[in-house]
Amino acid sequence: MTKYDITRRAALQKVALAGAAGLAAPSLASAAGETTTWKIQTSWPGGAGLQIFKDWCATIVEKTGGELAFNPFGANDVVGDFQLFDAVKNGVLDAVNPFTIYAQGIIPAATFLTSYPLGMRNPHEWDVFYYGLGGLEIAREMYAKQGMHFVGPVHHGPNIIHSKVPIRSIDDFRGRKMRMPGGMVAEVFTEIGAETTVLPGSEIFPALEKGTIDVADYVGPAVNYSLGFSQVTKYISMGPPGFMSLYQPVDLMDITVGMDAWNKLSPAMRQFVEMETHVYSDMHHAAIQKADQEAWAKFEADGTEVTRLSQDDVELMTEVAVPIWFKYANRDKDSARIFKIQLDYMMSGSLGYVTPEQIEGLELDL
C-alpha cells in the first residue's frame, strides 16, 4: 500500500466515523488564525446537485480548523456557465465545479476527460483512467498551461434526453431541434440527423417552453425534474435496459482551482483539498443516485413516458461514433495520447467495448 493510499484511507475513515467536524485537524489550522475563503461556483443551476454542492462547501471550514472556507455560488450567480474558466483564470473566482466537457473550448483534449458517445460506461472505469492509467497527471499538465490546477474528477451520473415527441429509434432524432453540450456529442447527433444547438443548463427550460428546441439532453432525473422538465416535455429517451445513456453514460464534473489560489495553499492544505475532492465525488454521486430514484416516481406521476432505444440502435450509433472518436483524437497530440490510453483499456480483456474490426482503417496521429 502506498503512502497515498494510506493517506486517502485515513481521510475517508475520519469522514465516516466523525462527520464533518472530525477532520478539523489542528495540523491544518492557520497559525495566525486567519481564514482563506474561496469563491467557488458550480455548474448546477438548482435542484439536488446545487444543494449537495452547497452542503459540502459548508463543511470545509470546520474540517480545516478554520484555515480554509468555501463560499459557494450556483450557476450564473457570479459569471455565466461558459465563462467559468475565464473567471477562475482571472481571479474573479478562486475555484469552480464545472461540467468538465465545458473545458473543451480552451483545451480540446478535455473532450476525452469526460464520457463521450459509446465510450467508457461506468464511474469506476473513469477512476481507473484518472488514478491508475495516468489521466490525472495529463489533465493537470494541460490545465497548468491555462493557469489552472485540475484537482480531480467529480462523479454525478448519466445524462438523459427529454423530448416533446417520442424517440423510439435513432431515426426519430432526424430533423429535431436538439440541445446538446457541443463537441463530439453534438457531432454524433448531427450525423444522425438532429439539428443541434449549444445551451447552458440554465437556458434549457425556457428554450423548451418557447419551442426553440423540442429535444434536450441534460443530466439525471432528479435535477431535471427540479428544473421543471416534466412541465415542458412528455418523454424521456434512454438506451436499452442497463444502458441509461448512449452518449454520456458517466457525465463528469470536476474541481478546478486558479493557479494563484492553489499556490497560496500550504502543502498540507493542498493535500486536504485533493482528498476532499475524492470525498465530495463519492458523496455527490451517491446522493444524486438516491435523488434520481425518487424522481422517477415523480415523472411517472406527471405522465412522462420513458422510451428506450434498441440494441440495434446501439450498434448503429457505434458505427457513427467510432470514426468521430478518431477525428477528435487527431486534433492535437494531447487528445491522441489520452484517447490511446482509453482505447487500449476499452479493447482490453477488462472491458471489451471495442473490437479490432470496429477501428479497422482508422489511425491515431501520436
Side-chain angles (χ1 to χ4, degrees):
M1 183 177 292
T2 65
K3 180 178 179 182
Y4 170 84
D5 293 330
I6 294 170
T7 304
R8 184 185 178 199
R9 175 173 289 183
L12 292 173
Q13 285 174 338
K14 287 179 181 179
V15 171
L17 296 174
L23 283 179
S27 61
L28 295 179
S30 170
E34 298 176 354
T35 299
T36 296
T37 300
W38 280 358
K39 293 173 65 176
I40 177 170
Q41 182 171 316
T42 183
S43 287
W44 287 122
L50 180 59
Q51 190 59 53
I52 295 163
F53 171 73
K54 288 184 173 181
D55 290 344
W56 171 65
C57 288
T59 69
I60 299 300
V61 69
E62 286 189 79
K63 291 177 180 179
T64 61
E67 185 172 347
L68 182 65
F70 286 0
N71 185 15
F73 297 90
N76 298 314
D77 283 355
V78 178
V79 297
D81 221 22
F82 293 158
Q83 285 76 52
L84 287 174
F85 296 107
D86 285 338
V88 81
K89 288 166 64 175
N90 297 329
V92 175
L93 293 165
D94 299 289
V96 289
N97 171 219
F99 293 111
T100 305
I101 192 67
Y102 292 168
Q104 66 186 347
I106 57 172
I107 303 173
T111 296
F112 294 101
L113 295 181
T114 186
S115 71
Y116 45 91
L118 284 306
M120 295 189 297
R121 302 167 191 182
N122 293 289
H124 71 271
E125 294 163 10
W126 284 94
D127 284 341
V128 169
F129 163 70
Y130 273 108
Y131 298 112
L133 300 178
L136 184 64
E137 290 75 16
I138 298 173
R140 288 180 175 175
E141 174 189 321
M142 295 188 301
Y143 275 62
K145 293 176 183 177
Q146 297 289 332
M148 302 182 294
H149 181 75
F150 182 93
V151 181
V154 174
H155 290 296
H156 72 81
N159 284 8
I160 58 176
I161 290 173
H162 297 260
S163 177
K164 293 187 172 185
V165 297
I167 303 291
R168 305 191 190 280
S169 76
I170 61 172
D171 291 337
D172 292 333
F173 288 109
R174 186 171 302 279
R176 296 298 172 191
K177 296 174 291 184
M178 186 173 185
R179 180 271 177 189
M180 299 302 297
M184 190 192 304
V185 176
E187 189 159 336
V188 168
F189 278 91
T190 298
E191 190 70 19
I192 62 176
E195 299 175 9
T196 64
T197 186
V198 177
L199 293 172
S202 56
E203 296 181 19
I204 297 174
F205 180 92
L208 286 167
E209 187 176 37
K210 295 174 184 176
T212 306
I213 56 175
D214 47 24
V215 183
D217 111 285
Y218 199 45
V219 291
V223 172
N224 293 358
Y225 188 84
S226 69
L227 294 176
F229 287 8
S230 69
Q231 301 170 30
V232 288
T233 61
K234 295 181 179 180
Y235 302 92
I236 291 174
S237 176
M238 298 192 291
F243 211 148
M244 190 168 169
S245 174
L246 300 185
Y247 63 101
Q248 280 191 299
V250 187
D251 194 14
L252 289 172
M253 303 179 82
D254 62 72
I255 299 295
T256 293
V257 183
M259 194 62 76
D260 288 343
W262 183 253
N263 288 337
K264 289 177 183 177
L265 295 182
S266 67
M269 190 57 63
R270 291 177 200 167
Q271 185 180 53
F272 167 81
V273 174
E274 290 176 353
M275 294 301 101
E276 192 61 26
T277 298
H278 285 286
V279 173
Y280 176 49
S281 181
D282 291 345
M283 293 170 53
H284 184 259
H285 182 257
I288 290 288
Q289 306 315 304
K290 177 179 182 295
D292 282 349
Q293 301 313 303
E294 298 166 353
W296 286 120
K298 298 176 183 178
F299 275 113
E300 184 177 359
D302 285 358
T304 300
E305 179 183 343
V306 174
T307 65
R308 288 190 176 274
L309 302 179
S310 69
Q311 189 59 42
D312 287 343
D313 290 317
V314 173
E315 294 172 6
L316 290 169
M317 190 172 279
T318 301
E319 290 180 15
V320 172
V322 172
I324 295 176
W325 291 354
F326 280 78
K327 173 184 174 181
Y328 274 76
N330 285 327
R331 290 190 301 178
D332 62 23
K333 298 298 184 183
D334 286 330
S335 298
R337 65 172 172 154
I338 292 173
F339 177 64
K340 180 62 165 59
I341 294 170
Q342 297 170 355
L343 182 62
D344 288 347
Y345 184 30
M346 289 190 289
M347 294 185 73
S348 74
S350 297
L351 299 182
Y353 294 154
V354 183
T355 66
E357 292 75 20
Q358 287 173 313
I359 65 168
E360 187 174 355
L362 299 170
E363 296 182 358
L364 280 176
D365 182 11
L366 296 167

